[in-house]
RNA sequence: GCCCCGGUAGCCCAGCGGUAGAGGCAGUGGUCUCAAACACCAUCCAGCGUGGGUUCGAAUCCCACCCGGGGCACCA
């Protein structure tokens, strides 16, 4: 496509006053320069360096903080799918400016992370060089689109002045603990307050020690159990192929790394964690404050996975007990066996020396003693990667431990198994199995010939004998049966009632209590990478951890020769991570005075994950140059503070892809809440309204071998078949990208038609939240619209204005105000596709009219301005206005003209259209009915049939029911 | 397997109880042109995924199913 000479450019060469690619390019670059030079989109702050005395009383002006999801600057350059959201937020931001809002809209770069590092390793260039080049390239590409960003606020996460605050927030989190007793639902408090409680004896030191007598190492160990950021040996996701550990959220359902698709293994390693689980309840509850798509809220709720249930102790052996978590205490009488996770600590202590008499052969796993059987099974489970465990999930495996526990309600002995379908990381790592009413337990019980007991009355026609069942019966909507003994009877109670009754009884017996359990785990926060934020943490000669004081921030990423990660064979589960930063002894060993005189310390060599920088960037957009504080409270309050419309506060609009539903959005909410608890921000949520834009897809053409061929070179034959170089190829839908050879760059489209055309086309393709295919051929439609708009106002022959000075007639006013009314609503509701259609409709009206009154021209220019700002600015100037239209009021519809003067009323007989009438929109039902019944066509159609009923819905419809 | 979202003209999409069509692309015919491209004018095209139901009336509401896209998936 790019090889052919743009036809429009040729035309422009011969017709210099015509709106073609050449004229569009000239207009666009000129206005982009003006906006930049005049700082048109600079938003004044209430306080600090970005406050503007000339802006007047900023605080009393309504604000609108509009954000795009933090882009990662890819070295590959943009395709037309990337800017979809950026154009949409720009259109909305421009509309907001024209309706009196102080608009904060900018775009920064999330520039730390794995891809940049991998790219650097591949090309041999330092990640800072490649990343900064990619950012410059992306800025250049985006500038051409005319996005109205405040350039003073465009931060980058790799800037030391930015990441010093990322490290500062880390220190806030590190130096905090979650006080469950504080406020409603608890809150984060400074760790110093906890230490004071231990010192004074107000709070008992766990383990019974005395604080003053503990060593520094012991104190730090203890505080690690409280800190919201802590370092601990935990089972983590180790990915040898990437050479780093990963958060649960970065591992796919089939046990592979989201990035790179390498196998991931469970490994016990000392790593940094964030205690996000302390916020589980608040992260769920505060979703109610947010204007987010329900689907995203649902995904967050599911990810956090709150379940209410009970902890129950099952006595085993003499004196010890296995504690299980269950959501179904109502089915306690149906618990016929138990299962421990292979890693469960109690396994060793309950295993007897020999198999009990009459132990089922299938339960022994072929071993001579229970200890052998358990050891063999554990070894087998440990060697499995998550992938294998996933693949094997359909078949239930396990072995009998040889031990029996006692069902606390039935008093019956229940065998205790070890099986990997029970996960150590959830609940207590142990379950009571109720095979009659749980699918997994049912499958296991069938495999091991375990007894089942039906305790919930089946309601689907099956008998109450589980031996005849094909699967468990797990409905909640039924009543409990077979569940009674001397002082507890659940029989006849509903499931919900029985849960409460059973929990209450257990608590009374001291063997259980109601509890809430979460699927969410603490967030693994360290990575073994070079290209990330270093931790502001050092270790002294005794290995005791010290946080650096604020004055020593930022801890800069050292400039080194060798920044490559230590990667391994992707399948080598025995390997262990090594940090790239540890190679650099000069940097690792550091002389510092942390209050005890100058001493040698070793730096923490892990780095923070990619998510760290994007967890708080909304705050820095607000106050990018603040050297004293993360954000000035006056500015935070103004832009993010809670209001009647947004009870939790947060940015007014946040647009981005749905793929960040749980990762970024959950982490950012968590950090924001910590900062709120510690008094740094007034808002409790970072993003009030979230909008997920759809994807732009593109046709992919594959040859016989299935390889993609360059989509731009494919030709369509008349009969709907496709050819490339004469060879038949197959068409399918796909993502846009280099690998599928179907990427279209925004620059190509801007070259041929101008950026305004590209913006308009992207906005008119369909609703913003729906994915839709790119069609280069269709772009010309948006171009023609702009040409017609231009022609309605400026002569193509002379470049002179052609608007008339007449007063618009009534029909024109009606068309105009109908358009204003509709477009305003569409703009406010982010329905840009229909807004464009209405603008085209009005413009087409003006074309047919033959001339355009000046007042109408001005209003249509203003209406189109958010969508196609360059041509609008140019026409506005040519219409005789000085300066930018950015802050000119958006047209307001006159209600007198916004309704049609006459409407067509349809007359139906039994739902079939028989006649039409032109009536006033103000007509009453009775008048309309009378008119309809008098209509000759209607009279004829009714004939002799009796009229049973007449439905009149003024002014559009009358339906006559006969017969 | 479970949970979301979507199926309207050849294509992208409006309409979301009341005439199936706002807008765009493509197609067809014409104007312009020596021809063509561009542009302009005109025009063709679907009964709304399928099957039931509610209603005077259903693309629109309800139920079931089919197809496409996304998410979750031994979480006790």
């Amino acid at each position: 496509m790019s090889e052919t000479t743009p036809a429009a450019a040729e035309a422009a060469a011969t017709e210099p006053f015509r709106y073609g690619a050449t004229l569009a390019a000239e207009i666009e670059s000129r206005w982009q320069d003006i906006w930049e030079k005049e700082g048109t989109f600079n938003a004044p702050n209430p306080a600090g360096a970005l406050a503007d005395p000339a802006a007047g009383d900023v605080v009393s002006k309504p604000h609108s903080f509009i954000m795009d999801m933090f882009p990662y600057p890819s070295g590959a350059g943009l395709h037309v799918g990337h800017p979809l959201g950026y154009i949409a937020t720009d259109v909305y931001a421009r509309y907001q400016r024209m309706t009196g809002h102080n608009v904060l809209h900018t775009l920064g770069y999330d520039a730390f992370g794995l891809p940049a590092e991998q790219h650097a390793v591949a090309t041999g260039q330092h990640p800072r060089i490649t990343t900064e080049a990619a950012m410059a390239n992306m800025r250049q590409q985006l500038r051409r689109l005319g996005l109205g960003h405040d350039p003073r606020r465009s931060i980058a996460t790799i800037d030391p002045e930015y990441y010093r605050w990322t490290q500062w927030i880390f220190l806030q989190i590190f130096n905090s603990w979650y006080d469950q007793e504080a406020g409603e639902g608890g809150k984060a408090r400074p760790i110093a307050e906890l230490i004071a409680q231990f010192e004074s004896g107000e709070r008992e030191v766990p383990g019974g020690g005395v604080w003053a007598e503990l060593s520094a190492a012991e104190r730090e160990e203890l505080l690690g159990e409280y800190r919201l950021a802590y370092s601990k040996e935990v089972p983590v996701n180790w990915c040898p192929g990437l050479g780093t550990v990963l958060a649960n959220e970065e591992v796919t359902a089939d046990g592979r790394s989201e990035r790179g698709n390498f196998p991931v293994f469970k490994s016990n390693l000392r790593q940094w964690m964030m205690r996000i689980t302390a916020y589980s309840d608040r992260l769920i509850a505060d979703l109610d404050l947010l204007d987010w798509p329900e689907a995203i809220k649902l995904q967050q709720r599911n990810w956090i996975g709150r379940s209410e249930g009970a902890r129950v102790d099952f006595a085993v052996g003499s004196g010890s007990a296995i504690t299980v978590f269950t959501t179904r205490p109502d089915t306690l009488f149906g618990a016929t066996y138990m299962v421990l996770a292979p890693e469960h600590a109690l396994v060793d202590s309950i295993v007897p020396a020999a198999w009990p008499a009459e132990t089922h052969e299938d339960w022994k796993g072929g071993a001579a003693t229970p200890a052998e059987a358990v050891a063999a099974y554990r070894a087998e489970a440990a060697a499995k990667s998550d992938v294998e465990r996933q693949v094997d999930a359909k078949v239930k495996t396990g072995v009998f431990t040889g031990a029996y526990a006692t069902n606390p309600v039935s008093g019956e002995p229940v065998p205790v198994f070890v099986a990997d379908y029970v996960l150590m990381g959830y609940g207590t790592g142990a379950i009571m199995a109720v095979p009659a009413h749980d699918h997994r337990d049912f499958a296991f019980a069938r495999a091991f010939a375990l007894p089942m007991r039906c305790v919930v009355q089946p309601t689907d026609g099956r008998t109450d004998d589980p031996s005849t069942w094909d699967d468990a019966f797990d409905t909640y909507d039924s009543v409990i049966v077979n569940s009674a003994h001397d002082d507890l009877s659940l029989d006849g109670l509903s499931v919900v009632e029985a849960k409460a009754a059973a929990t209450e009884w257990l608590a009374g017996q001291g063997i259980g209590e109601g509890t809430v359990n979460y699927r969410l785990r603490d967030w693994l926060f360290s990575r073994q990478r070079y290209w990330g934020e270093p931790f502001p943490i050092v270790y002294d000669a005794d290995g005791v951890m010290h946080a650096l004081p604020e004055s020593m921030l930022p801890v800069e990423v050292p400039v080194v020769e060798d920044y490559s990660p230590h990667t391994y064979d992707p399948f080598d589960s025995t390997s262990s991570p090594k940090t790239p930063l540890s190679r650099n002894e000069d940097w690792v060993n550091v002389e510092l005075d942390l209050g005890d005189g100058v001493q040698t310390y070793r730096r923490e060599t892990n780095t923070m994950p990619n998510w760290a920088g994007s967890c708080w960037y909304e705050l820095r957009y607000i106050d990018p140059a603040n050297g004293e504080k993360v954000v000035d409270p006056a500015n935070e309050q103004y832009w993010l503070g809670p209001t009647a419309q947004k009870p939790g506060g947060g940015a007014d609009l946040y647009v981005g892809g749905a793929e960040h539903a749980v990762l970024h959005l959950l982490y950012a909410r968590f950090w924001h809440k910590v900062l709120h608890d510690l008094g740094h921000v007034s808002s409790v949520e970072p993003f009030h309204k979230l909008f997920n834009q759809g994807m732009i897809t593109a046709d992919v053409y594959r040859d016989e071998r299935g390889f993609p061929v360059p989509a731009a070179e494919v030709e369509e034959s008349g009969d709907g078949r496709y050819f490339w170089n004469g060879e038949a190829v197959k068409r399918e839908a796909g993502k846009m990208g280099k690998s599928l050879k179907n990427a279209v760059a925004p620059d190509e489209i801007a070259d041929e038609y101008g950026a305004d055309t590209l913006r308009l086309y992207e906005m008119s393709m369909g609703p913003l939240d729906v994915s839709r295919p790119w069609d280069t051929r269709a772009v010309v439609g948006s171009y023609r619209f702009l040409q017609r708009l231009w022609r309605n106002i400026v002569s193509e022959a002379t470049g002179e204005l052609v608007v008339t000075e007449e007063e618009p007639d009534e029909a024109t006013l009606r068309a105009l105000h109908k358009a204003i009314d509709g477009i305003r609503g569409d703009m406010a509701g982010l329905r840009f596709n229909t807004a464009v259609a209405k603008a085209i409709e009005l413009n087409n009206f003006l074309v047919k009219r033959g001339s355009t009154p000046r007042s109408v021209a001005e209003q249509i220019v203003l209406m189109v301005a958010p969508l196609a700002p360059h041509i609008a600015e140019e026409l506005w100037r040519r219409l005789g206005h000085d300066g930018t239209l950015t802050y000119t009021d958006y047209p307001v519809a006159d209600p007198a003209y916004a309704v049609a003067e006459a409407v067509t009323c349809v007359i139906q007989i039994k739902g079939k259209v028989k006649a039409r009438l032109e009536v006033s929109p103000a007509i009453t039902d009775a008048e309309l009915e009378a008119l309809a019944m008098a209509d000759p066509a209607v009279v004829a159609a009714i004939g002799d049939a009796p009229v049973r009923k007449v439905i009149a819905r003024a002014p559009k419809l009358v339906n006559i029911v006969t017969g």
Side-chain angles (χ1 to χ4, degrees):
Chain A
M1 153 211 307
S2 47
E3 291 150 329
T4 58
T5 310
E10 264 181 32
T14 53
E15 296 181 64
F17 302 112
R18 181 165 187 183
Y19 184 77
T22 312
L23 183 55
E26 188 274 314
I27 292 170
E28 287 169 7
S29 68
R30 180 152 45 82
W31 279 99
Q32 284 156 15
D33 291 346
I34 293 172
W35 295 331
E36 183 175 281
K37 186 168 132 261
E38 299 188 349
T40 304
F41 308 109
N42 290 355
N45 270 352
L50 299 192
D52 178 3
D57 182 11
V58 168
V59 176
S60 68
K61 200 174 175 189
H63 69 275
S64 187
F65 186 5
I66 297 165
M67 290 179 65
D68 302 279
M69 281 189 191
F70 222 11
Y72 187 84
S74 157
L78 300 179
H79 60 65
V80 290
H82 290 118
L84 178 69
Y86 307 150
I87 295 170
T89 49
D90 185 52
V91 172
Y92 186 69
R94 287 174 182 273
Y95 172 72
Q96 291 280 79
R97 288 189 193 98
M98 296 176 79
T99 52
H101 295 83
N102 184 19
V103 174
L104 198 176
H105 190 207
T106 189
L107 193 73
Y109 294 89
D110 188 17
F112 273 129
L114 251 159
E117 193 181 286
Q118 288 172 329
H119 183 69
V121 171
T123 61
Q125 279 200 301
H126 192 274
R128 183 168 290 281
I129 294 170
T130 54
T131 308
E132 284 181 350
M135 277 164 50
N137 184 42
M138 188 162 165
R139 281 203 164 97
Q140 180 56 34
Q141 279 190 298
L142 291 178
R143 186 181 192 273
R144 280 194 75 180
L145 301 178
L147 303 177
H149 294 155
D150 182 343
R152 306 167 306 167
R153 300 172 188 264
S154 176
I155 45 91
T157 53
I158 58 171
D159 180 349
E161 275 312 299
Y162 181 85
Y163 68 72
R164 76 175 286 179
W165 292 104
T166 310
Q167 291 169 337
W168 179 86
I169 295 171
F170 173 83
L171 288 178
Q172 302 303 306
I173 299 171
F174 176 77
N175 285 320
S176 306
W177 62 295
Y178 200 82
D179 184 356
Q180 296 289 352
E181 313 302 316
E184 210 170 309
K187 64 180 259 191
R189 295 175 61 187
I191 197 89
E193 295 177 17
L194 179 70
I195 294 170
Q197 287 183 5
F198 283 139
E199 277 173 345
S200 71
E202 181 191 342
R203 180 180 291 262
E204 199 178 318
V205 175
V210 175
W211 182 257
E213 294 168 7
L214 298 179
S215 70
E218 286 168 333
R219 287 177 184 177
E220 197 41 61
E221 185 72 26
L222 181 63
L223 291 175
E225 297 298 316
Y226 289 87
R227 292 184 187 278
L228 288 179
Y230 60 96
S231 141
K232 192 179 181 182
E233 183 166 311
V234 281
V236 294
N237 305 300
W238 162 234
C239 181
L242 288 174
T244 185
V245 296
L246 297 169
N248 289 336
E249 291 85 346
E250 293 168 306
V251 180
T252 60
D254 56 355
R256 288 181 165 255
S257 61
E258 195 159 62
R259 189 167 285 284
N261 201 32
F262 293 112
V264 170
F265 300 89
K266 279 279 178 237
S267 185
N268 280 317
L269 296 166
R270 188 166 193 92
Q271 293 294 330
W272 282 96
M273 308 290 289
M274 289 258 170
R275 209 177 298 279
I276 189 172
T277 50
Y279 284 84
S280 299
D281 266 335
R282 285 166 63 188
L283 288 169
I284 290 176
D286 288 353
L287 286 173
D288 294 340
L289 304 175
L290 303 176
D291 182 3
W292 284 18
E294 273 309 312
I296 301 291
K297 289 189 182 184
L298 193 65
Q299 281 187 56
Q300 292 221 340
R301 286 194 191 99
N302 289 343
W303 187 265
I304 297 167
R306 182 180 200 275
S307 357
E308 288 186 20
R311 281 177 196 252
V312 187
D313 293 338
F314 280 62
V316 57
S318 54
S320 67
I322 299 171
T323 304
V324 302
F325 172 74
T326 178
T327 56
R328 297 295 301 270
D330 55 305
T331 62
L332 202 48
F333 283 89
T336 52
Y337 68 99
M338 298 184 77
V339 182
L340 300 180
E343 303 86 359
H344 199 287
L346 226 49
V347 173
D348 288 324
S349 64
I350 63 168
V351 171
W355 294 114
E358 293 172 36
T359 295
H360 203 294
E361 276 308 313
D362 290 351
W363 294 10
K364 296 180 181 173
T369 66
E372 279 177 38
V374 167
Y377 185 76
R378 284 176 138 181
E380 202 181 304
K384 278 188 195 172
S385 73
D386 280 1
V387 189
E388 291 164 313
R389 217 157 147 160
Q390 195 68 31
V391 169
D392 297 344
K394 289 173 199 86
V395 186
K396 294 277 179 291
T397 61
V399 290
F400 181 40
T401 61
Y404 283 86
T406 305
N407 182 314
V409 288
S410 69
E412 287 170 5
V414 291
V416 180
F417 281 74
V418 169
D420 68 0
Y421 84 91
V422 172
L423 310 173
M424 194 58 225
Y426 185 78
T428 61
I431 62 156
M432 65 175 210
V434 185
H437 305 294
D438 180 281
H439 296 291
R440 297 149 299 180
D441 297 344
F442 186 94
F444 189 85
R446 273 288 156 86
F448 288 85
L450 285 155
M452 301 188 193
R453 180 181 167 120
C454 173
V455 295
V456 181
Q457 182 65 52
T459 53
D460 56 358
R462 66 173 87 184
T463 70
D464 62 0
D465 175 10
S467 69
T468 64
W469 296 358
D470 294 329
D471 200 355
F473 177 74
D474 67 351
T475 310
Y476 272 50
D477 190 17
S478 185
V479 295
I480 304 299
V481 293
N482 300 326
S483 297
H485 66 56
D486 295 347
D487 56 74
L488 172 67
S489 175
L490 305 176
D491 289 347
L493 297 179
S494 72
V495 166
V496 175
E497 291 163 346
K499 279 190 189 191
T503 306
E504 192 184 332
W505 184 84
L506 287 165
Q509 299 290 307
I511 53 170
E513 57 174 345
T515 182
V516 176
N517 204 42
Y518 301 92
R519 205 188 86 114
L520 183 70
R521 317 287 159 81
D522 278 346
W523 173 21
L524 176 69
F525 194 69
S526 42
R527 299 292 183 277
Q528 291 73 49
R529 312 305 298 186
Y530 166 74
W531 195 229
E533 300 89 344
F535 283 78
I537 294 286
V538 294
Y539 301 89
D540 66 22
D542 299 325
V544 175
M545 177 191 301
H546 298 267
L548 294 177
E550 277 182 40
S551 59
M552 292 187 186
L553 302 183
V555 178
E556 293 207 35
V557 183
V559 179
V560 297
E561 295 279 310
D562 183 8
Y563 39 78
S564 59
H566 289 276
T567 55
Y568 299 87
D569 179 303
F571 295 93
D572 183 5
S573 63
T574 62
S575 58
S576 61
K578 281 191 208 144
T579 55
L581 289 180
S582 63
R583 276 188 291 237
N584 202 334
E585 288 291 322
D586 290 350
W587 182 80
V588 171
N589 297 305
V590 59
E591 305 251 302
L592 298 172
D593 184 351
L594 296 180
D596 298 322
V598 175
Q599 295 186 30
T600 301
Y601 296 89
R602 285 186 66 78
R603 289 191 190 278
E604 169 65 57
T605 58
N606 282 292
T607 51
M608 298 187 197
N610 200 183
W611 311 105
S614 59
C615 269
W616 70 281
Y617 71 116
E618 71 283 357
L619 297 177
R620 206 58 183 168
Y621 276 172
I622 291 173
D623 217 354
N626 196 324
E628 302 299 312
K629 287 188 165 156
V630 63
V631 58
D632 186 309
N635 294 330
E636 188 274 337
Q637 172 75 44
Y638 174 68
W639 292 109
L640 288 181
T643 64
Q645 288 76 38
K646 40 177 190 179
D652 297 274
L653 177 65
Y654 194 28
V655 174
E659 67 274 15
H660 292 111
V662 287
L663 293 158
H664 157 63
L665 289 171
L666 201 60
Y667 298 152
R669 294 180 64 213
F670 162 51
W671 276 35
H672 206 91
K673 288 185 184 304
V674 177
L675 291 174
H676 173 81
D677 285 354
L678 297 175
H680 299 296
V681 296
S682 66
S683 43
V684 296
E685 286 286 338
F687 313 115
H688 176 65
K689 181 180 170 80
L690 175 70
F691 192 96
N692 293 123
Q693 96 263 21
M695 205 180 9
I696 291 186
T697 60
D699 288 338
V700 181
Y701 299 90
R702 294 181 189 275
D703 62 16
E704 268 187 350
R705 300 165 303 164
F707 288 103
V709 303
E713 297 165 18
V714 170
E715 289 174 354
E716 186 179 357
S717 68
D719 55 1
R721 294 192 301 151
Y722 300 91
F723 293 90
W724 179 66
N725 283 349
E727 181 192 351
V729 291
K730 276 192 191 151
R731 186 179 71 149
E732 62 183 61
K735 284 188 174 183
M736 185 174 278
K738 276 212 163 129
S739 59
L740 296 175
K741 297 191 179 168
N742 60 356
V744 177
D747 313 67
E748 291 175 43
I749 303 301
D751 285 343
E752 188 151 13
Y753 300 106
D756 280 334
T757 295
L758 173 65
R759 292 171 58 108
L760 206 58
Y761 175 65
E762 294 218 2
M763 291 302 98
S764 62
M765 289 169 78
L768 192 56
D769 56 348
V770 171
S771 292
R772 74 304 304 259
W774 177 263
D775 182 6
T776 295
R777 286 186 314 185
V779 176
V780 71
S782 300
Y783 177 62
R784 287 180 191 146
F785 162 57
L786 292 181
Q787 286 187 323
R788 287 198 296 273
L789 176 67
W790 184 265
R791 265 203 303 274
N792 279 338
I793 298 171
V794 177
S795 164
E796 286 187 345
T798 65
E800 302 284 309
L801 275 185
V802 294
V803 293
T804 61
E805 300 301 330
E806 68 189 302
E807 282 301 310
D809 56 289
E810 183 166 332
T812 306
L813 286 174
R814 287 193 189 281
L816 172 67
H817 288 278
K818 184 175 158 229
I820 295 172
D821 187 47
I823 292 173
R824 262 193 171 255
D826 289 344
M827 284 282 180
L830 305 174
R831 295 183 300 270
F832 304 127
N833 54 328
T834 50
V836 172
K838 284 164 189 155
I840 293 174
E841 193 180 2
L842 174 61
N843 194 53
N844 288 350
F845 175 91
L846 295 171
V847 170
K848 280 208 167 66
R849 189 181 185 276
S851 67
T852 305
R854 169 182 289 274
S855 63
V856 179
E858 294 195 336
Q859 307 235 56
I860 192 172
V861 164
L862 291 174
M863 274 194 283
V864 168
L867 294 154
H870 310 90
I871 190 175
E873 290 272 28
E874 184 67 15
L875 289 172
W876 187 245
R877 176 158 291 187
R878 287 176 182 238
L879 284 164
H881 302 276
D882 288 332
T884 176
L885 53 62
T886 302
Y887 296 95
T888 307
D889 285 341
Y890 207 76
V892 179
D894 180 345
Y897 290 110
V899 290
E901 148 185 56
V903 295
T904 306
C905 173
V906 180
I907 302 163
Q908 300 175 333
I909 304 210
K910 293 207 287 187
K912 301 268 190 275
V913 179
K914 296 291 180 186
R916 286 155 222 264
L917 294 171
E918 289 296 313
V919 298
S920 153
I923 196 168
T924 65
D925 286 354
E927 288 166 344
L928 194 60
E929 183 178 334
L931 275 177
M933 296 309 284
D935 188 275
V938 172
V939 172
I942 295 174
D944 298 332
V947 173
R948 280 207 307 180
K949 192 171 178 185
V950 178
I951 299 127
R953 290 282 179 276
K956 304 261 299 194
L957 172 124
V958 178
N959 188 11
I960 299 159
V961 186
T962 59

